[in-house]
Amino acid sequence: MFNLKIKQMMMNSAALLLGITLLSGCAPAAPATSPATSPTATTQGAATDPATGGSTTGASTTQAQADENDKLAQIKKAGKIVMGTSPDYPPNEFYILDASGNKQIVGSDVMLGQAIADKIGVKLEIKATDFQGVLSNVQAGQIDMAIAGLTYTEGRKQSMQFSTGFVNESVEGFHGLMMTKETAAKYKTLDEIKAAKLTIGAQTGSIQAEMAYTVTDAMNVKLMGVLDALALALNAGDLDAVVVSTDNAINMLATFPDFTILPEETYNLDPEGKYNQNIIGFPLGEEYQSLIAVANEVIEAAKADGTMEKWRQEALELAKKALE
């Protein structure tokens, strides 16, 4: 009897142990989870963009780097665009007195510069120097753009980039020679002037300077920074002639009635009109491409709707008030 009870107790214990074992086998084992493989883990310090699953911090950094290397983005951030010009070249750029009696730079090139600034949504800041200073500043990246009656040359192509061209010479205008009437009466042809090896002046760094070297010996070319100085030298007899864009000589002819422009038919130094196209100059570098694109857009729109010619006519009227 006693042995039977012991046997029964042993059978019950075995049954209980089997049940516990079966119950343990029904519950799946919980996998070990590592923070590195957890689906909710992210890189430290980077938020996740719910739209793309990417890091917004990384995207912001990439955009900031792109803006840092883009001149247009830099201009927008600064709130201004710096334009270099030489304000002695009416009707393109010149000084007048405003209503308050203060000197102000105006002209057709300034109107174009303002239109570009307006397109970008920034302030136009003008950095005025002589013409050679404009060229130096654009080459050194000291200005964002140069609008100063600039014309394309192969030499300038090596040190700056250009916008699309725009005509800034009137139908009557051309590149020619300005003399006193007394000197002009001595010559009948351009060949006679070349043979005389005259002392001829032109503005430093200009297209007119290049033309002067085709008219006389290099030692007889006298370069000066501003047109006013050339006019005074011509009037004083220190120069025999000055190479000019005739449109820009209007004020000099008014100030010095003894000056004259030699006839276009015989004395046009650019008969093919190669230099009647003006351009905007930009420093070298890929970062300027977005800015050049905006400038080209403004130029093309102004040419298409007549605004370019309107600016010129307004500038010609203002040029009557140009300061000497």
Side-chain angles (χ1 to χ4, degrees):
M1 184 72 175
F2 178 75
N3 289 339
L4 182 61
K5 286 184 178 181
I6 291 176
K7 185 177 181 181
Q8 184 65 42
M9 289 175 62
M10 291 177 65
M11 291 176 62
N12 289 342
S13 297
L16 178 61
L17 181 60
L18 178 61
I20 292 173
T21 302
L22 290 173
L23 286 173
S24 299
C26 291
T33 303
S34 168
T37 59
S38 170
T40 59
T42 58
T43 304
Q44 184 176 4
T48 301
D49 186 339
T52 64
S55 168
T56 57
T57 300
S60 298
T61 301
T62 302
Q63 185 60 50
Q65 290 172 341
D67 289 349
E68 208 172 284
N69 296 321
D70 181 75
K71 180 53 65 173
L72 182 58
Q74 293 171 18
I75 288 169
K76 289 179 178 179
K77 184 177 180 180
K80 68 178 181 180
I81 184 169
V82 181
M83 165 185 157
T85 198
S86 177
D88 65 333
Y89 203 60
N92 297 52
E93 45 269 331
F94 53 97
Y95 283 110
I96 63 169
L97 293 178
D98 62 20
S100 302
N102 299 315
K103 288 177 70 174
Q104 178 183 358
I105 300 174
V106 297
S108 55
D109 282 348
V110 178
M111 296 175 193
L112 173 57
Q114 186 62 60
I116 293 171
D118 291 343
K119 179 73 174 179
I120 299 172
V122 295
K123 176 184 175 183
L124 176 67
E125 180 179 302
I126 297 177
K127 184 171 184 176
T129 63
D130 62 20
F131 189 74
Q132 186 60 47
V134 175
L135 298 180
S136 297
N137 283 334
V138 73
Q139 290 171 25
Q142 298 298 312
I143 54 178
D144 299 318
M145 59 182 181
I147 315 183
L150 274 175
T151 308
Y152 173 89
T153 70
E154 285 297 320
R156 290 174 184 169
K157 183 181 178 182
Q158 308 306 314
S159 58
M160 67 182 74
Q161 302 180 83
F162 304 120
S163 71
T164 187
F166 53 96
V167 175
N168 218 0
E169 190 81 29
S170 71
V171 180
E172 298 81 14
F174 65 100
H175 291 91
L177 290 166
M178 183 171 66
M179 293 180 168
T180 63
K181 293 174 181 177
E182 180 182 355
T183 302
K186 300 176 182 178
Y187 305 100
K188 301 300 182 185
T189 67
L190 184 58
D191 286 340
E192 287 184 12
I193 290 176
K194 289 180 178 180
K197 301 186 185 304
L198 302 179
T199 301
I200 297 180
Q203 189 173 36
T204 306
S206 68
I207 290 298
Q208 290 77 30
E210 295 186 18
M211 293 178 181
Y213 288 109
T214 69
V215 179
T216 192
D217 290 346
M219 66 177 63
N220 294 330
V221 174
K222 306 299 180 185
L223 303 179
M224 299 182 185
V226 295
L227 291 178
D228 292 349
L230 290 165
L232 291 172
L234 181 61
N235 189 58
D238 297 329
L239 297 173
D240 297 313
V242 175
V243 182
V244 294
S245 167
T246 58
D247 274 2
N248 303 112
I250 294 172
N251 282 46
M252 287 185 281
L253 293 175
T255 303
F256 300 94
D258 191 41
F259 288 0
T260 188
I261 302 292
L262 301 186
E264 179 179 6
E265 294 74 21
T266 311
Y267 300 97
N268 187 352
L269 301 181
D270 180 29
E272 297 177 355
K274 179 180 178 181
Y275 297 118
N276 283 356
Q277 285 276 324
N278 284 167
I279 44 83
I280 301 174
F282 301 89
L284 295 175
E286 285 296 318
E287 66 270 28
Y288 285 89
Q289 291 306 307
S290 55
L291 176 58
I292 295 172
V294 171
N296 287 343
E297 185 179 343
V298 172
I299 289 169
E300 293 299 343
K303 289 195 299 187
D305 65 9
T307 299
M308 193 72 74
E309 180 59 28
K310 175 175 174 287
W311 287 338
R312 181 161 189 81
Q313 293 304 318
E314 290 177 1
L316 285 168
E317 191 63 29
L318 283 172
K320 297 175 182 178
K321 305 176 185 177
L323 299 178
E324 298 298 330

